[in-house]
């Protein structure tokens, strides 16, 4: 196989997106579109990978980093002009050059490999990746000769009535003999309405020179979907999430309603895990086996063990061991770590805390900057007061301690193992083992106070 170069076109303004963010950085299934393209071409082991940037060049280059060489298209003068910017990088290459857009996130590596193989098998000067569209409106049509070779690509506005009936469309992906690519580009003119230099014009130039133009048609039309506006972005997200969910289902994950489960590409899920509708698993999240994740749960950049039940809760940048129950309506904020068999109940918030095996935090509680041992009971309404407005402080609670309801623990405090706090206490000092901390005023009853209330007299 000849050396393969890759040119990714990412210079466009993307005005129809109506966004300050460069188009190729908009996300599909939790990953910028340009990353999907880079991931698709990486297994091809390109000799040179070049990204053509333009509008938003700094943001795109900063995002991609060292994974690509960059050239800049200062003025957007068409796809042919964009590719021409890569000439200094590729002028000496005797291999082939794959060209694709940075806003086409749906292409698979397997498809690109098939295109390269078809190009070599046909000994073509250029091979176009095509698709069969049920509705080809708006796409360039592939016009073939009787021998099956490509005669030309005709745009919708220039197509005759007969040509408009053609359903084979141009996906915008090409592979060229590199030297022929740039010799043809040198002859492309901009005598069109847009006064731009169009890459497809090279095909007619090469055919006129006697070179063979080939085409390879993909089986799955959805791979050809490009993104020019927010409507197309939503379609790309929908299709990509269907792919992702199908992959997980084939690996043994059960989806109650796969149409409403939003799983990012990098998420890992173990078999026999059940995911209900309206669940969102984001970022670098790893889910173990035999978990149940119920409606409304959002988990981001977290590691979840096995046999857990997570009910309608939010979890971010945290770790959960095994046989843990969480929710409903709990919130685990970053750096929360739950050991085996922990219970986090409804309306509990945990942040920057380690919670030991078997500890139960039932409901209406905030646990922040704390280390909790094993088999502790935290009563309802408990608040770990960890912040004085300037600094945050840590609380430690020992094994089998019992924290009474409505306790306020003013950090830094150490509560020893098997210690107790009385309900309603405000704890500001350490409590020793087996001791009970009580910090509340003595109750006083006012006799006949009911009669003293103005609205009750008479």
């Amino acid at each position: 196989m000849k050396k393969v170069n890759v040119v990714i076109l990412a210079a466009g303004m993307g005005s129809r997106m109506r966004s300050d963010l460069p188009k190729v950085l908009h996300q599909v299934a939790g990953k910028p579109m340009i990353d999907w393209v880079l991931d698709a071409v990486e297994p091809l082991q390109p000799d040179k990978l070049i990204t053509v940037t333009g509008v938003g060049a700094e943001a795109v280059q900063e995002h991609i980093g060292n994974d690509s060489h960059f050239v800049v298209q200062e003025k957007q003068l068409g796809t042919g002009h964009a590719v021409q910017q890569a000439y200094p990088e590729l002028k000496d290459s005797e291999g082939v050059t794959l060209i694709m857009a940075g806003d086409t996130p749906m292409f698979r590596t397997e498809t690109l490999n098939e295109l390269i193989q078809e190009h070599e098998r046909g000994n073509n000067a250029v091979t176009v990746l095509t698709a069969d569209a049920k509705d080809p409106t708006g796409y360039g049509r592939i016009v073939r000769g009787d021998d099956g070779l490509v005669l030309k690509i005709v745009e919708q506005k220039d197509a005759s009535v007969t040509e408009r009936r053609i359903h084979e469309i141009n996906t915008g992906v090409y592979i060229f003999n590199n030297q022929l690519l740039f010799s043809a580009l040198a002859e492309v003119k901009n005598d069109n309405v847009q006064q731009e230099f169009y890459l497809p014009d090279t095909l007619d130039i090469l055919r006129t020179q006697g070179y063979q133009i080939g085409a390879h048609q993909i089986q799955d039309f959805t791979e050809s979907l490009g993104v020019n506006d927010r409507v197309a972005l939503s379609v790309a997200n929908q299709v990509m999430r269907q792919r992702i969910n199908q992959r997980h289902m084939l690996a043994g994950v059960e989806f109650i309603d796969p149409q409403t489960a939003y799983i990012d590409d990098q998420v890992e899920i173990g078999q026999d895990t059940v995911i209900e509708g309206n669940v969102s698993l984001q970022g670098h999240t790893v889910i173990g086996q035999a978990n149940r994740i119920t409606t409304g749960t959002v988990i981001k950049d977290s590691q979840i063990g096995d046999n857990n039940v997570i009910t309608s809760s939010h979890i971010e940048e945290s770790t959960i061991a095994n046989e843990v129950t969480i929710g409903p309506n709990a919130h685990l904020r970053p750096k929360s770590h739950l050991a085996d068999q922990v219970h986090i109940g409804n309306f509990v918030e945990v942040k920057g805390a380690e919670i030991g095996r078997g500890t139960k935090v039932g409901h209406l509680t905030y646990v922040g900057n704390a280390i909790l041992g094993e088999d502790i009971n935290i009563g309802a309404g408990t608040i770990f007061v960890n912040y004085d407005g300037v600094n945050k402080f840590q609380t430690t609670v020992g094994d089998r301690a019992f924290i009474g309801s409505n306790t306020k623990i003013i950090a830094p405090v150490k509560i020893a193992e098997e210690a107790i706090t009385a309900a309603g206490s405000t704890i500001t000092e350490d409590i020793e083992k087996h001791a009970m901390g009580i910090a509340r005023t003595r109750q006083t009853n006012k006799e006949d106070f009911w009669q003293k209330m103005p609205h009750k007299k008479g």
Side-chain angles (χ1 to χ4, degrees), residues 308-367:
N308 302 292
V309 177
I310 301 171
T311 306
S312 305
S313 296
H314 283 220
I315 299 169
E316 50 189 316
E317 298 177 31
S318 297
T319 61
I320 296 167
N322 307 304
E323 300 178 8
V324 172
T325 55
I326 298 174
N329 301 310
H331 186 186
L332 269 60
R333 293 169 58 193
K335 299 181 180 179
S336 298
H337 305 290
L338 278 54
D340 292 347
Q341 299 175 358
V342 165
H343 170 65
I344 302 295
N346 52 295
F347 300 104
V348 170
E349 181 175 346
V350 181
K351 179 255 177 191
E354 297 180 15
I355 301 181
R357 180 186 181 94
T359 289
K360 295 177 174 56
V361 187
H363 35 268
L364 302 166
T365 289
Y366 171 68
V367 182

Side-chain angles (χ1 to χ4, degrees), residues 8-9 23-24 33-34 36-38 40 99-108 171-173 223-227 240:
I8 299 173
L9 306 182
K23 180 168 65 169
V24 297
M33 287 190 284
I34 191 71
W36 285 103
V37 178
L38 291 169
I99 300 171
M100 58 193 304
D103 60 0
T104 54
M106 312 303 293
F107 288 111
R108 309 173 198 258
T171 68
V173 178
E223 288 193 57
S224 67
L225 295 174
V227 175
M240 191 65 78

Side-chain angles (χ1 to χ4, degrees), residues 252-274:
V253 178
E254 181 176 345
F255 286 83
I256 301 301
D257 182 6
Q259 299 300 318
T260 62
Y262 307 101
I263 316 299
D264 285 355
D265 180 60
Q266 296 165 313
V267 171
E268 300 176 28
I269 311 174
Q271 69 180 33
D272 293 321
T273 286
V274 177

Side-chain angles (χ1 to χ4, degrees), residues 166-178:
I166 296 172
H167 284 258
E168 187 178 15
I169 57 97
N170 177 22
T171 68
V173 178
Y174 311 83
I175 186 160
F176 284 84
N177 173 291
N178 185 70

Side-chain angles (χ1 to χ4, degrees), residues 385-393 411:
V385 184
N386 60 326
Y387 184 48
D388 66 359
V390 179
N391 298 304
K392 293 188 177 181
F393 300 93

Side-chain angles (χ1 to χ4, degrees), residues 152-443:
K152 61 180 177 178
I153 300 174
V154 61
E155 297 302 320
Q156 168 92 18
K157 63 181 183 299
D158 300 320
S160 66
V161 173
T162 300
E163 289 168 340
R164 290 189 180 193
R165 295 194 183 104
I166 296 172
H167 284 258
E168 187 178 15
I169 57 97
N170 177 22
T171 68
V173 178
Y174 311 83
I175 186 160
F176 284 84
N177 173 291
N178 185 70
Q179 292 298 317
L180 292 178
L181 165 64
F182 288 103
S183 67
L185 279 173
E187 298 187 29
V188 172
K189 309 298 182 184
N190 67 339
D191 50 354
N192 52 64
V193 175
Q194 301 296 327
Q195 294 187 315
E196 293 183 349
F197 299 89
Y198 295 135
L199 181 61
D201 289 352
T202 59
L203 276 64
D204 190 51
I205 292 169
L206 291 170
R207 186 182 61 81
T208 301
Q209 293 174 351
Y211 292 104
Q212 184 168 285
I213 312 301
H216 175 65
Q217 188 175 113
I218 58 177
Q219 299 301 311
D220 181 0
F221 173 75
T222 63
E223 288 193 57
S224 67
L225 295 174
V227 175
N228 289 316
D229 55 32
R230 306 280 185 153
V231 175
L233 183 66
S234 71
V235 173
N237 267 289
Q238 182 180 24
V239 173
M240 191 65 78
R241 294 194 186 281
Q242 287 175 350
R243 281 190 197 174
I244 292 168
N245 292 355
Q246 183 180 53
R247 184 181 77 216
H248 287 299
M249 286 187 280
L250 293 174
V253 178
E254 181 176 345
F255 286 83
I256 301 301
D257 182 6
Q259 299 300 318
T260 62
Y262 307 101
I263 316 299
D264 285 355
D265 180 60
Q266 296 165 313
V267 171
E268 300 176 28
I269 311 174
Q271 69 180 33
D272 293 321
T273 286
V274 177
I275 297 176
E276 296 184 359
N278 292 315
V279 167
S280 180
L281 306 181
Q282 304 172 4
H284 296 274
T285 290
V286 178
I287 309 289
Q289 298 186 10
N291 296 282
R292 187 171 190 96
I293 303 175
T294 79
T295 299
T297 293
V298 177
I299 303 176
K300 181 178 181 180
D301 295 325
S302 297
Q303 289 73 51
I304 313 298
D306 303 331
N307 299 295
N308 302 292
V309 177
I310 301 171
T311 306
S312 305
S313 296
H314 283 220
I315 299 169
E316 50 189 316
E317 298 177 31
S318 297
T319 61
I320 296 167
N322 307 304
E323 300 178 8
V324 172
T325 55
I326 298 174
N329 301 310
H331 186 186
L332 269 60
R333 293 169 58 193
K335 299 181 180 179
S336 298
H337 305 290
L338 278 54
D340 292 347
Q341 299 175 358
V342 165
H343 170 65
I344 302 295
N346 52 295
F347 300 104
V348 170
E349 181 175 346
V350 181
K351 179 255 177 191
E354 297 180 15
I355 301 181
R357 180 186 181 94
T359 289
K360 295 177 174 56
V361 187
H363 35 268
L364 302 166
T365 289
Y366 171 68
V367 182
N369 295 94
I371 299 176
L372 277 57
E374 298 183 357
D375 297 314
I376 297 168
N377 185 84
I378 306 291
T382 296
I383 300 174
F384 286 71
V385 184
N386 60 326
Y387 184 48
D388 66 359
V390 179
N391 298 304
K392 293 188 177 181
F393 300 93
Q394 187 175 83
T395 295
T396 302
V397 181
D399 298 346
R400 297 176 299 284
F402 185 95
I403 307 300
S405 296
N406 199 33
T407 295
K408 296 177 182 63
I409 303 171
I410 313 297
V413 164
K414 293 182 179 179
I415 299 174
E417 61 185 82
E418 298 173 354
I420 300 168
T421 69
S425 294
T426 299
I427 304 299
T428 58
E429 298 179 2
D430 294 352
I431 304 175
E432 300 299 322
K433 181 177 180 179
H434 293 168
M436 180 172 71
I438 305 175
R440 59 191 185 202
T441 57
R442 185 176 296 276
Q443 178 175 328

